[in-house]
Amino acid sequence: MDYNFHWRPVFKTLPDLLESAILTVEVAVLSMVLGILFGLALSLIRIHMTGPLKWFAVSWIELARNTPALLQLFFFGFGLGAFGIHFSPFLIVLMGLTFNNSGYLAENFRGGFNAIPDTQIRASLSLGMNSFQTYTRIIIPQVLRIVYHPMTNQMVWAVLMSSLGMLVGFRELSGETQFFASKTYRIFEYFAATAVIYYVLVKIILGAAKLMALRLFKY
Amino acid sequence: MIKISNLYKSYDDLEVLKGINLNVSKGEVLSVIGSSGSGKSTLLYCINGLEPIQQGQIIVDDIDVHASDTNLNSVRQNMGMVFQQWNSFPHLTVLENVALAPRIVSKLPKAQALEIAEKQLRHVGLGDKLSKYPSALSGGQQQRLAIARALAMEPKCMLFDEATSALDPELVGEVLDTIRLLAEEGMTMICVTHEMGFAREVSDRVAFFHEGVIEEINQPEELFGAPKSVYLQKFLSKVKK
Ligand SMILES: Nc1ncnc2c1ncn2[C@@H]1O[C@H](COP(=O)(O)OP(=O)(O)OP(=O)(O)O)[C@@H](O)[C@H]1O
Ligand SMILES: [Mg+2]
């Protein structure tokens, strides 16, 4: 063991690393927002519909949950690329993560919807609220509480999963780290620093989620 | 006010209502009694348009509830319904529970909706619980909350589905008192109930349900005092025990 640690290069490029960390957060947050919307839609289709739409939703959910996230990413990158459909690395990662998030969240939402008793729907309708109002005012707020913790986990997972982006050429935090590490040969130092950044990011997200839960769920 | 003619209703193969004819006039209090599974709840769901019907007609306040061009949401605004299971909205405060429908269905300004909600909550004796969440209420209080919530829409009639059957005995009284108060105020009501004493005291008429038909309907003194149907006699003697 005569390895000499050199942290200087890491500190010098720290601003670049942090900038790429913002990209990581950006793609994770966007993929979560889209994932929640698609996940809600998928779960509602799976619960209420039959026919091709249901088949489509079930396939999406099954594929998202039961195949490697990396393959899902490659599909949107190289898979579609083979057909001449090309997207920017950012979009590839965004689509891959959204696909994955939607599948997992859809199943969480489905559990949430099933946990709300039918009597809540009846009570709401009997007051003259229409189905849309019933869902947006009565059902979904309660479902969101039920799925809040799984949702936070998925958010963390999205941040960590986005590191796969470097394999499709996306210079998010991991991609950027890889770039500097191979340029300077300070491989251990760079990946150690990046691990710390990921760790801090995740802790911040979990803390923020906790604070938000306190504000949102008073009952 | 409520006119039901030749009503048939089945769940898949199970025929639950088999030709119901019933008129409830304005200001009348009708109690519905009968053994479990005889279709009492189903009748209320059909009146409220929560369940489709197979045959017949239900007219509430001159509107055919099950006609294809009827806007059910607006029909339901004229009918308040209180269910067997407590179903306050757990994520809203007591005040918000009651103010929600006036605000988003009747489209009242927020301040006015809150004012109405507060008034109705005082009416049912929950004036000191406005900012509590339903989880902090007892079963009886939750049922009174449900009553206030329905009343806030200023319905022309109220449907009660065994509003007290899920309650501990000591909480039944407060809910019945609230319903009694409405009766005195002249509210048109159909009350499905297991409380024979209550039915006897507050109703103008009592209907006995048996296997999907109204087996007997009469003023309470006659129906309880001199029941004609054998089934009703059996039912009453069972209930008394
Ligand atoms: N959604 C449903 N699907 C299928 N069958 C149902 C449904 N709801 C009720 N039933 C059946 O219809 C019949 C009448 O039910 P209903 O709830 O109207 O009876 P009830 O007189 O209110 O009984 P209880 O006093 O127990 O409340 C019962 O046999 C019940 O099993
Ligand atoms: Mg019933």
Side-chain angles (χ1 to χ4, degrees), chain B residues 36-73:
Chain B
S36 185
S38 56
K40 307 179 299 292
S41 300
T42 302
L43 175 70
L44 295 192
Y45 291 153
C46 293
I47 297 176
N48 203 234
L50 290 168
E51 282 288 345
I53 64 175
Q54 272 69 47
Q55 235 192 88
Q57 206 176 35
I58 301 176
I59 309 250
V60 178
D61 205 27
D62 295 326
I63 296 170
D64 183 345
V65 176
H66 292 268
S68 54
D69 58 348
T70 298
N71 179 349
L72 272 179
N73 298 320

mmCIF file of all heavy atoms in Angstrom, chain B residues 36-73:
data_model
loop_
_atom_site.group_PDB
_atom_site.id
_atom_site.type_symbol
_atom_site.label_atom_id
_atom_site.label_comp_id
_atom_site.label_asym_id
_atom_site.label_seq_id
_atom_site.Cartn_x
_atom_site.Cartn_y
_atom_site.Cartn_z
ATOM 1 N N SER B 36 -82.371 -8.183 8.313
ATOM 2 C CA SER B 36 -81.146 -7.961 7.570
ATOM 3 C C SER B 36 -81.231 -8.628 6.203
ATOM 4 O O SER B 36 -81.689 -9.757 6.085
ATOM 5 C CB SER B 36 -79.989 -8.552 8.370
ATOM 6 O OG SER B 36 -78.789 -8.257 7.745
ATOM 7 N N GLY B 37 -80.819 -7.899 5.176
ATOM 8 C CA GLY B 37 -80.817 -8.463 3.833
ATOM 9 C C GLY B 37 -82.137 -8.290 3.097
ATOM 10 O O GLY B 37 -82.284 -8.763 1.970
ATOM 11 N N SER B 38 -83.094 -7.608 3.702
ATOM 12 C CA SER B 38 -84.398 -7.471 3.038
ATOM 13 C C SER B 38 -84.389 -6.363 1.982
ATOM 14 O O SER B 38 -85.365 -6.194 1.259
ATOM 15 C CB SER B 38 -85.488 -7.213 4.079
ATOM 16 O OG SER B 38 -85.179 -6.078 4.851
ATOM 17 N N GLY B 39 -83.306 -5.595 1.879
ATOM 18 C CA GLY B 39 -83.197 -4.619 0.799
ATOM 19 C C GLY B 39 -83.410 -3.173 1.224
ATOM 20 O O GLY B 39 -83.602 -2.297 0.375
ATOM 21 N N LYS B 40 -83.322 -2.903 2.500
ATOM 22 C CA LYS B 40 -83.587 -1.539 2.983
ATOM 23 C C LYS B 40 -82.513 -0.556 2.506
ATOM 24 O O LYS B 40 -82.823 0.518 1.974
ATOM 25 C CB LYS B 40 -83.652 -1.534 4.522
ATOM 26 C CG LYS B 40 -84.627 -2.557 5.097
ATOM 27 C CD LYS B 40 -84.650 -2.551 6.614
ATOM 28 C CE LYS B 40 -83.351 -2.892 7.306
ATOM 29 N NZ LYS B 40 -82.862 -4.266 7.192
ATOM 30 N N SER B 41 -81.263 -0.932 2.696
ATOM 31 C CA SER B 41 -80.180 -0.046 2.241
ATOM 32 C C SER B 41 -80.251 0.134 0.737
ATOM 33 O O SER B 41 -80.075 1.247 0.218
ATOM 34 C CB SER B 41 -78.815 -0.633 2.596
ATOM 35 O OG SER B 41 -78.692 -0.800 3.974
ATOM 36 N N THR B 42 -80.494 -0.971 0.050
ATOM 37 C CA THR B 42 -80.557 -0.923 -1.411
ATOM 38 C C THR B 42 -81.594 0.099 -1.868
ATOM 39 O O THR B 42 -81.356 0.864 -2.807
ATOM 40 C CB THR B 42 -80.898 -2.315 -1.967
ATOM 41 O OG1 THR B 42 -79.894 -3.221 -1.517
ATOM 42 C CG2 THR B 42 -80.946 -2.310 -3.470
ATOM 43 N N LEU B 43 -82.738 0.136 -1.190
ATOM 44 C CA LEU B 43 -83.777 1.102 -1.556
ATOM 45 C C LEU B 43 -83.235 2.526 -1.464
ATOM 46 O O LEU B 43 -83.409 3.334 -2.378
ATOM 47 C CB LEU B 43 -84.997 0.944 -0.644
ATOM 48 C CG LEU B 43 -86.083 2.004 -0.870
ATOM 49 C CD1 LEU B 43 -86.768 1.791 -2.212
ATOM 50 C CD2 LEU B 43 -87.101 2.016 0.257
ATOM 51 N N LEU B 44 -82.539 2.829 -0.359
ATOM 52 C CA LEU B 44 -82.005 4.180 -0.203
ATOM 53 C C LEU B 44 -80.969 4.486 -1.286
ATOM 54 O O LEU B 44 -80.943 5.587 -1.833
ATOM 55 C CB LEU B 44 -81.385 4.362 1.194
ATOM 56 C CG LEU B 44 -82.330 4.286 2.388
ATOM 57 C CD1 LEU B 44 -81.637 4.784 3.647
ATOM 58 C CD2 LEU B 44 -83.598 5.097 2.155
ATOM 59 N N TYR B 45 -80.105 3.501 -1.590
ATOM 60 C CA TYR B 45 -79.099 3.724 -2.635
ATOM 61 C C TYR B 45 -79.776 4.027 -3.975
ATOM 62 O O TYR B 45 -79.305 4.862 -4.738
ATOM 63 C CB TYR B 45 -78.185 2.503 -2.792
ATOM 64 C CG TYR B 45 -77.270 2.269 -1.619
ATOM 65 C CD1 TYR B 45 -76.806 0.998 -1.303
ATOM 66 C CD2 TYR B 45 -76.856 3.331 -0.811
ATOM 67 C CE1 TYR B 45 -75.959 0.779 -0.225
ATOM 68 C CE2 TYR B 45 -76.022 3.130 0.261
ATOM 69 C CZ TYR B 45 -75.572 1.846 0.557
ATOM 70 O OH TYR B 45 -74.740 1.642 1.622
ATOM 71 N N CYS B 46 -80.879 3.325 -4.244
ATOM 72 C CA CYS B 46 -81.586 3.568 -5.511
ATOM 73 C C CYS B 46 -82.197 4.959 -5.527
ATOM 74 O O CYS B 46 -82.149 5.662 -6.542
ATOM 75 C CB CYS B 46 -82.678 2.524 -5.727
ATOM 76 S SG CYS B 46 -82.035 0.870 -6.007
ATOM 77 N N ILE B 47 -82.768 5.370 -4.407
ATOM 78 C CA ILE B 47 -83.366 6.702 -4.339
ATOM 79 C C ILE B 47 -82.301 7.768 -4.578
ATOM 80 O O ILE B 47 -82.519 8.767 -5.248
ATOM 81 C CB ILE B 47 -84.055 6.937 -2.972
ATOM 82 C CG1 ILE B 47 -85.211 5.943 -2.779
ATOM 83 C CG2 ILE B 47 -84.583 8.376 -2.867
ATOM 84 C CD1 ILE B 47 -85.879 6.054 -1.422
ATOM 85 N N ASN B 48 -81.114 7.534 -4.039
ATOM 86 C CA ASN B 48 -80.021 8.496 -4.167
ATOM 87 C C ASN B 48 -79.256 8.349 -5.492
ATOM 88 O O ASN B 48 -78.304 9.074 -5.753
ATOM 89 C CB ASN B 48 -79.052 8.326 -2.989
ATOM 90 C CG ASN B 48 -78.239 9.591 -2.732
ATOM 91 O OD1 ASN B 48 -77.030 9.565 -2.692
ATOM 92 N ND2 ASN B 48 -78.923 10.710 -2.587
ATOM 93 N N GLY B 49 -79.686 7.380 -6.308
ATOM 94 C CA GLY B 49 -79.012 7.187 -7.588
ATOM 95 C C GLY B 49 -77.622 6.588 -7.460
ATOM 96 O O GLY B 49 -76.821 6.685 -8.383
ATOM 97 N N LEU B 50 -77.338 5.972 -6.337
ATOM 98 C CA LEU B 50 -76.020 5.350 -6.163
ATOM 99 C C LEU B 50 -75.992 3.938 -6.735
ATOM 100 O O LEU B 50 -74.928 3.363 -6.919
ATOM 101 C CB LEU B 50 -75.633 5.309 -4.672
ATOM 102 C CG LEU B 50 -75.317 6.646 -4.029
ATOM 103 C CD1 LEU B 50 -75.228 6.523 -2.518
ATOM 104 C CD2 LEU B 50 -74.015 7.218 -4.576
ATOM 105 N N GLU B 51 -77.175 3.380 -6.966
ATOM 106 C CA GLU B 51 -77.273 2.060 -7.590
ATOM 107 C C GLU B 51 -78.264 2.163 -8.743
ATOM 108 O O GLU B 51 -79.307 2.794 -8.601
ATOM 109 C CB GLU B 51 -77.791 1.016 -6.582
ATOM 110 C CG GLU B 51 -76.758 0.520 -5.594
ATOM 111 C CD GLU B 51 -75.715 -0.398 -6.230
ATOM 112 O OE1 GLU B 51 -75.952 -0.872 -7.361
ATOM 113 O OE2 GLU B 51 -74.679 -0.608 -5.592
ATOM 114 N N PRO B 52 -77.953 1.564 -9.887
ATOM 115 C CA PRO B 52 -78.898 1.573 -11.008
ATOM 116 C C PRO B 52 -80.091 0.663 -10.708
ATOM 117 O O PRO B 52 -79.985 -0.227 -9.866
ATOM 118 C CB PRO B 52 -78.076 1.016 -12.166
ATOM 119 C CG PRO B 52 -77.012 0.194 -11.530
ATOM 120 C CD PRO B 52 -76.728 0.834 -10.200
ATOM 121 N N ILE B 53 -81.212 0.906 -11.369
ATOM 122 C CA ILE B 53 -82.384 0.057 -11.152
ATOM 123 C C ILE B 53 -82.728 -0.666 -12.451
ATOM 124 O O ILE B 53 -82.274 -0.277 -13.526
ATOM 125 C CB ILE B 53 -83.599 0.884 -10.669
ATOM 126 C CG1 ILE B 53 -84.036 1.875 -11.755
ATOM 127 C CG2 ILE B 53 -83.261 1.631 -9.393
ATOM 128 C CD1 ILE B 53 -85.311 2.629 -11.393
ATOM 129 N N GLN B 54 -83.517 -1.733 -12.332
ATOM 130 C CA GLN B 54 -83.854 -2.505 -13.526
ATOM 131 C C GLN B 54 -85.215 -2.125 -14.099
ATOM 132 O O GLN B 54 -85.454 -2.229 -15.289
ATOM 133 C CB GLN B 54 -83.848 -4.004 -13.209
ATOM 134 C CG GLN B 54 -82.475 -4.659 -13.368
ATOM 135 C CD GLN B 54 -81.496 -4.189 -12.316
ATOM 136 O OE1 GLN B 54 -81.806 -4.141 -11.128
ATOM 137 N NE2 GLN B 54 -80.297 -3.815 -12.738
ATOM 138 N N GLN B 55 -86.109 -1.696 -13.238
ATOM 139 C CA GLN B 55 -87.468 -1.417 -13.691
ATOM 140 C C GLN B 55 -88.100 -0.418 -12.748
ATOM 141 O O GLN B 55 -87.728 -0.345 -11.578
ATOM 142 C CB GLN B 55 -88.279 -2.714 -13.614
ATOM 143 C CG GLN B 55 -88.946 -3.120 -14.908
ATOM 144 C CD GLN B 55 -89.941 -4.241 -14.657
ATOM 145 O OE1 GLN B 55 -91.092 -3.988 -14.342
ATOM 146 N NE2 GLN B 55 -89.481 -5.473 -14.781
ATOM 147 N N GLY B 56 -89.111 0.310 -13.247
ATOM 148 C CA GLY B 56 -89.843 1.218 -12.385
ATOM 149 C C GLY B 56 -89.296 2.623 -12.434
ATOM 150 O O GLY B 56 -88.497 2.977 -13.311
ATOM 151 N N GLN B 57 -89.742 3.424 -11.483
ATOM 152 C CA GLN B 57 -89.436 4.840 -11.536
ATOM 153 C C GLN B 57 -89.291 5.385 -10.122
ATOM 154 O O GLN B 57 -90.024 4.978 -9.216
ATOM 155 C CB GLN B 57 -90.589 5.551 -12.235
ATOM 156 C CG GLN B 57 -90.185 6.830 -12.906
ATOM 157 C CD GLN B 57 -91.332 7.446 -13.675
ATOM 158 O OE1 GLN B 57 -92.482 7.349 -13.260
ATOM 159 N NE2 GLN B 57 -91.025 8.090 -14.778
ATOM 160 N N ILE B 58 -88.353 6.287 -9.941
ATOM 161 C CA ILE B 58 -88.233 6.993 -8.666
ATOM 162 C C ILE B 58 -88.253 8.483 -8.977
ATOM 163 O O ILE B 58 -87.388 8.977 -9.707
ATOM 164 C CB ILE B 58 -86.923 6.625 -7.945
ATOM 165 C CG1 ILE B 58 -86.861 5.126 -7.687
ATOM 166 C CG2 ILE B 58 -86.802 7.407 -6.632
ATOM 167 C CD1 ILE B 58 -85.563 4.663 -7.063
ATOM 168 N N ILE B 59 -89.250 9.169 -8.481
ATOM 169 C CA ILE B 59 -89.359 10.603 -8.726
ATOM 170 C C ILE B 59 -89.110 11.331 -7.419
ATOM 171 O O ILE B 59 -89.782 11.069 -6.424
ATOM 172 C CB ILE B 59 -90.766 10.973 -9.222
ATOM 173 C CG1 ILE B 59 -91.147 10.078 -10.398
ATOM 174 C CG2 ILE B 59 -90.859 12.458 -9.536
ATOM 175 C CD1 ILE B 59 -91.209 10.717 -11.712
ATOM 176 N N VAL B 60 -88.131 12.204 -7.418
ATOM 177 C CA VAL B 60 -87.868 13.004 -6.230
ATOM 178 C C VAL B 60 -88.017 14.459 -6.613
ATOM 179 O O VAL B 60 -87.305 14.938 -7.506
ATOM 180 C CB VAL B 60 -86.455 12.729 -5.674
ATOM 181 C CG1 VAL B 60 -86.186 13.622 -4.470
ATOM 182 C CG2 VAL B 60 -86.303 11.273 -5.286
ATOM 183 N N ASP B 61 -88.947 15.131 -5.965
ATOM 184 C CA ASP B 61 -89.139 16.546 -6.232
ATOM 185 C C ASP B 61 -89.335 16.793 -7.734
ATOM 186 O O ASP B 61 -88.696 17.658 -8.323
ATOM 187 C CB ASP B 61 -87.920 17.322 -5.721
ATOM 188 C CG ASP B 61 -88.293 18.765 -5.393
ATOM 189 O OD1 ASP B 61 -89.472 19.005 -5.079
ATOM 190 O OD2 ASP B 61 -87.399 19.626 -5.452
ATOM 191 N N ASP B 62 -90.191 15.981 -8.334
ATOM 192 C CA ASP B 62 -90.551 16.090 -9.752
ATOM 193 C C ASP B 62 -89.437 15.716 -10.721
ATOM 194 O O ASP B 62 -89.558 15.950 -11.910
ATOM 195 C CB ASP B 62 -91.054 17.509 -10.097
ATOM 196 C CG ASP B 62 -92.360 17.828 -9.385
ATOM 197 O OD1 ASP B 62 -93.160 16.888 -9.209
ATOM 198 O OD2 ASP B 62 -92.544 18.991 -8.985
ATOM 199 N N ILE B 63 -88.347 15.159 -10.238
ATOM 200 C CA ILE B 63 -87.282 14.743 -11.159
ATOM 201 C C ILE B 63 -87.162 13.222 -11.135
ATOM 202 O O ILE B 63 -87.101 12.601 -10.070
ATOM 203 C CB ILE B 63 -85.937 15.377 -10.778
ATOM 204 C CG1 ILE B 63 -86.030 16.895 -10.915
ATOM 205 C CG2 ILE B 63 -84.820 14.829 -11.670
ATOM 206 C CD1 ILE B 63 -84.857 17.627 -10.339
ATOM 207 N N ASP B 64 -87.154 12.628 -12.329
ATOM 208 C CA ASP B 64 -87.006 11.190 -12.454
ATOM 209 C C ASP B 64 -85.524 10.842 -12.261
ATOM 210 O O ASP B 64 -84.692 11.081 -13.128
ATOM 211 C CB ASP B 64 -87.476 10.763 -13.851
ATOM 212 C CG ASP B 64 -87.414 9.261 -14.035
ATOM 213 O OD1 ASP B 64 -86.751 8.583 -13.217
ATOM 214 O OD2 ASP B 64 -88.017 8.764 -15.003
ATOM 215 N N VAL B 65 -85.212 10.277 -11.093
ATOM 216 C CA VAL B 65 -83.807 10.081 -10.706
ATOM 217 C C VAL B 65 -83.040 9.241 -11.730
ATOM 218 O O VAL B 65 -81.889 9.525 -12.049
ATOM 219 C CB VAL B 65 -83.719 9.405 -9.317
ATOM 220 C CG1 VAL B 65 -82.266 9.112 -8.949
ATOM 221 C CG2 VAL B 65 -84.373 10.279 -8.268
ATOM 222 N N HIS B 66 -83.690 8.202 -12.260
ATOM 223 C CA HIS B 66 -82.957 7.258 -13.101
ATOM 224 C C HIS B 66 -83.155 7.494 -14.595
ATOM 225 O O HIS B 66 -82.737 6.681 -15.404
ATOM 226 C CB HIS B 66 -83.320 5.824 -12.724
ATOM 227 C CG HIS B 66 -82.807 5.464 -11.359
ATOM 228 N ND1 HIS B 66 -81.580 4.878 -11.160
ATOM 229 C CD2 HIS B 66 -83.329 5.643 -10.121
ATOM 230 C CE1 HIS B 66 -81.378 4.699 -9.862
ATOM 231 N NE2 HIS B 66 -82.429 5.155 -9.213
ATOM 232 N N ALA B 67 -83.794 8.613 -14.973
ATOM 233 C CA ALA B 67 -83.909 8.934 -16.399
ATOM 234 C C ALA B 67 -82.513 9.230 -16.936
ATOM 235 O O ALA B 67 -81.660 9.748 -16.223
ATOM 236 C CB ALA B 67 -84.822 10.138 -16.583
ATOM 237 N N SER B 68 -82.301 8.886 -18.208
ATOM 238 C CA SER B 68 -80.934 8.982 -18.732
ATOM 239 C C SER B 68 -80.458 10.431 -18.832
ATOM 240 O O SER B 68 -79.268 10.699 -18.808
ATOM 241 C CB SER B 68 -80.862 8.310 -20.106
ATOM 242 O OG SER B 68 -81.845 8.870 -20.946
ATOM 243 N N ASP B 69 -81.392 11.372 -18.940
ATOM 244 C CA ASP B 69 -80.952 12.761 -19.085
ATOM 245 C C ASP B 69 -80.939 13.514 -17.756
ATOM 246 O O ASP B 69 -80.810 14.728 -17.722
ATOM 247 C CB ASP B 69 -81.846 13.493 -20.102
ATOM 248 C CG ASP B 69 -83.313 13.466 -19.684
ATOM 249 O OD1 ASP B 69 -83.639 12.707 -18.753
ATOM 250 O OD2 ASP B 69 -84.112 14.203 -20.293
ATOM 251 N N THR B 70 -81.064 12.769 -16.660
ATOM 252 C CA THR B 70 -81.038 13.421 -15.357
ATOM 253 C C THR B 70 -79.604 13.622 -14.894
ATOM 254 O O THR B 70 -78.778 12.722 -14.990
ATOM 255 C CB THR B 70 -81.773 12.557 -14.314
ATOM 256 O OG1 THR B 70 -83.132 12.431 -14.708
ATOM 257 C CG2 THR B 70 -81.703 13.192 -12.929
ATOM 258 N N ASN B 71 -79.308 14.808 -14.417
ATOM 259 C CA ASN B 71 -77.993 15.059 -13.831
ATOM 260 C C ASN B 71 -78.021 14.624 -12.365
ATOM 261 O O ASN B 71 -78.546 15.305 -11.500
ATOM 262 C CB ASN B 71 -77.652 16.548 -13.940
ATOM 263 C CG ASN B 71 -76.302 16.862 -13.323
ATOM 264 O OD1 ASN B 71 -75.701 16.026 -12.629
ATOM 265 N ND2 ASN B 71 -75.812 18.056 -13.580
ATOM 266 N N LEU B 72 -77.425 13.439 -12.130
ATOM 267 C CA LEU B 72 -77.486 12.870 -10.787
ATOM 268 C C LEU B 72 -76.874 13.778 -9.738
ATOM 269 O O LEU B 72 -77.354 13.859 -8.607
ATOM 270 C CB LEU B 72 -76.758 11.527 -10.768
ATOM 271 C CG LEU B 72 -77.614 10.314 -11.123
ATOM 272 C CD1 LEU B 72 -76.772 9.058 -11.098
ATOM 273 C CD2 LEU B 72 -78.766 10.193 -10.119
ATOM 274 N N ASN B 73 -75.794 14.471 -10.127
ATOM 275 C CA ASN B 73 -75.134 15.312 -9.128
ATOM 276 C C ASN B 73 -76.062 16.401 -8.614
ATOM 277 O O ASN B 73 -76.032 16.746 -7.441
ATOM 278 C CB ASN B 73 -73.868 15.929 -9.712
ATOM 279 C CG ASN B 73 -72.867 14.866 -10.111
ATOM 280 O OD1 ASN B 73 -72.696 13.880 -9.394
ATOM 281 N ND2 ASN B 73 -72.247 15.031 -11.251
#
